């Protein structure tokens, strides 16, 4: 791939401008070196001739030599790549000296292949369409155009690869989410199957516990009731004992039990054969408890 310098671009533009004239020869491509600079080229000795009166520095001579070689190689490149074609329509010998002649020149020999290229430029040329296309494409060669196209295609391929990589990453994420969803669904199914049974067992345990608690409370309540009833019986027995002491051999043994919730009618009064006044005690069952009804003792009016 050829990269053209600014000087080479100016030379190519000069060639395209010159071929419009029938008298144009390719040697004019060297005129920025050989015209009005005190430099000439001798075809016989194959040397560059420098005017001694101008007092050239060594660096100036070397720079002219580099420019001369660069121009010759550019022309050879254009010939080899079929940008231009040299027409040899006569057998005349090349000109001996081309450029600014001087009386006492300083000679600087150039390579033979470069000298041979310069000698060939003393002929007319035909500029090919490729040369016009080269200029229209801003001096971009066909190879460089193909390389640019390949680079663009590579960029597109890289973009597609990145997009495919993103899609692959997204697909992996979706796959893992699907796996997690399936796992959660399985856990949900297992929970749906086993949790009701466990809940049933739990409910049974809770029911048993509740029943046990109720039974325990019932036992506790019944025991408390029995204790209270025993205390009541003791008090009643104490009262009866005292009453027997007052009524001469009067005895009555009450029996307190837990009965139904229905209230019973008072028991029939018992008559004592004694003529002395007797305290009448009645019992009544209400709300599951037995109550003793004690009347006030008779008042002695004597």
């Amino acid at each position: 791939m050829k990269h053209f310098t600014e000087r080479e671009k100016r030379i190519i533009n000069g060639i395209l401008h010159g071929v419009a004239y029938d008298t144009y020869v390719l040697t004019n491509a060297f005129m920025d070196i050989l015209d009005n600079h005190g430099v000439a080229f001798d075809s016989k000795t194959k040397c560059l001739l420098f005017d001694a009166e101008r007092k050239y520095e060594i660096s100036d001579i070397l720079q002219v030599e580099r420019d001369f070689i660069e121009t010759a190689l550019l022309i050879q490149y254009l010939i080899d790549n079929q940008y231009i074609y040299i027409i040899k329509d006569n057998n005349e010998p090349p000109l001996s000296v081309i450029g600014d002649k001087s009386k006492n020149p300083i000679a600087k020999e150039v390579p033979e292949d470069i000298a041979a290229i310069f000698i060939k430029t003393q002929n007319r040329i035909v500029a090919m369409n490729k040369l016009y296309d080269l200029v229209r494409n801003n001096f971009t060669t066909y190879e460089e155009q193909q390389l640019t196209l390949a680079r663009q295609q590579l960029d597109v391929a890289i973009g597609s690869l990145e997009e495919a990589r993103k899609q692959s990453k997204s697909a992996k994420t979706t796959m893992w989410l699907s796996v997690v969803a399936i796992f959660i669904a399985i856990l949900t199914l297992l929970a749906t199957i086993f949790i009701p049974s466990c809940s049933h067992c739990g409910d049974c345990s809770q029911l048993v516990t509740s029943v046990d608690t109720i039974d325990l409370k019932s036992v506790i309540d019944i025991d408390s009731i029995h204790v209270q009833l025993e205390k009541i019986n003791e008090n009643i027995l104490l009262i009866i004992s005292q009453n027997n002491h007052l009524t001469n051999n009067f005895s009555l043994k009450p029996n307190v039990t837990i009965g139904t919730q229905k209230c019973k009618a008072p028991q029939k009064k018992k008559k004592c054969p004694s003529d002395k006044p007797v305290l009448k005690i009645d019992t009544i069952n209400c709300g599951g408890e037995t109550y003793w009804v004690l009347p006030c003792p008779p008042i002695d009016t004597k």
Side-chain angles (χ1 to χ4, degrees):
M1 184 178 63
K2 173 67 174 176
H3 175 70
F4 297 96
T5 64
E6 293 300 323
R7 180 173 178 272
E8 291 173 339
K9 292 178 182 179
R10 289 195 300 270
I11 292 171
I12 293 173
N13 284 324
I15 292 172
L16 289 177
H17 183 267
V19 293
Y21 301 93
D22 296 335
T23 58
Y24 179 80
V25 292
L26 195 54
T27 308
N28 290 282
F30 293 87
M31 285 301 100
D32 63 333
I33 300 171
L34 305 177
D35 188 20
N36 297 324
H37 293 288
V39 181
F41 180 78
D42 190 347
S43 299
K44 294 181 179 179
T45 60
K46 299 178 182 177
C47 293
L48 286 170
L49 304 176
F50 296 89
D51 188 0
E53 295 180 358
R54 290 178 179 262
K55 297 179 180 180
Y56 288 100
E57 298 290 337
I58 298 298
S59 59
D60 296 334
I61 294 174
L62 295 178
Q63 183 62 47
V64 171
E65 181 186 29
R66 282 195 295 270
D67 292 342
F68 189 85
I69 293 173
E70 182 184 26
T71 303
L73 293 177
L74 173 62
I75 291 172
Q76 188 62 47
Y77 172 81
L78 296 176
I79 295 171
D80 293 341
N81 290 275
Q82 300 179 357
Y83 287 102
I84 60 175
Y85 180 78
I86 294 179
I87 301 174
K88 295 181 179 179
D89 53 357
N90 59 65
N91 294 322
E92 295 181 3
L95 299 175
S96 58
V97 177
I98 299 175
D100 296 335
K101 298 179 181 179
S102 59
K103 295 180 181 180
N104 297 311
I106 299 172
K108 177 66 176 68
E109 186 176 3
V110 299
E112 293 185 2
D113 57 338
I114 300 300
I117 293 171
F118 181 81
I119 292 171
K120 285 193 301 184
T121 62
Q122 297 181 21
N123 296 284
R124 295 186 304 109
I125 65 166
V126 175
M128 302 298 180
N129 290 331
K130 287 181 61 177
L131 188 61
Y132 291 97
D133 293 338
L134 179 66
V135 175
R136 280 195 295 266
N137 292 324
N138 196 22
F139 294 92
T140 302
T141 63
Y142 176 78
E143 292 80 7
E144 191 172 0
Q145 294 175 19
Q146 294 299 315
L147 181 60
T148 302
L149 181 60
R151 188 180 293 113
Q152 293 175 353
Q153 293 176 350
L154 179 61
D155 292 339
V156 172
I158 292 174
S160 300
L161 180 61
E162 291 295 330
E163 184 65 24
R165 188 174 300 169
K166 291 179 182 179
Q167 292 179 357
S168 177
K169 185 177 180 180
S170 177
K172 289 181 180 178
T173 304
T174 304
M175 181 187 70
W176 282 111
L177 290 175
S178 300
V179 171
V180 171
I182 293 172
F183 182 71
I184 293 174
I186 293 173
L187 290 180
T188 304
L189 179 61
L190 293 177
T192 304
I193 295 173
F194 289 106
I195 286 179
S197 300
C198 296
S199 300
H200 180 69
C201 295
D203 293 339
C204 293
S205 300
Q206 186 176 1
L207 180 60
V208 172
T209 304
S210 300
V211 172
D212 292 340
T213 304
I214 294 171
D215 292 340
L216 179 59
K217 289 182 179 179
S218 299
V219 171
I220 292 172
D221 293 339
I222 293 172
D223 291 340
S224 177
I225 292 170
H226 279 293
V227 170
Q228 295 296 329
L229 289 175
E230 290 295 335
K231 290 181 179 180
I232 292 171
N233 284 332
E234 289 178 0
N235 293 329
I236 293 173
L237 290 175
L238 178 60
I239 294 171
I240 293 173
S241 176
Q242 293 176 355
N243 189 50
N244 287 336
H245 179 71
L246 294 174
T247 57
N248 296 323
N249 298 325
F250 176 80
S251 64
L252 179 63
K253 295 182 180 179
N255 186 16
V256 180
T257 59
I258 298 176
T260 61
Q261 296 181 354
K262 295 181 179 180
C263 296
K264 294 182 179 181
Q267 295 180 359
K268 294 181 178 181
K269 299 179 181 178
K270 294 181 180 182
K271 295 182 178 181
C272 183
S274 176
D275 294 334
K276 294 182 178 181
V278 179
L279 296 177
K280 296 180 181 181
I281 301 174
D282 292 328
T283 61
I284 185 172
N285 293 328
C286 184
E289 296 183 357
T290 302
Y291 299 92
W292 289 88
V293 181
L294 300 177
C296 295
I299 302 173
D300 189 3
T301 58
K302 293 182 181 180

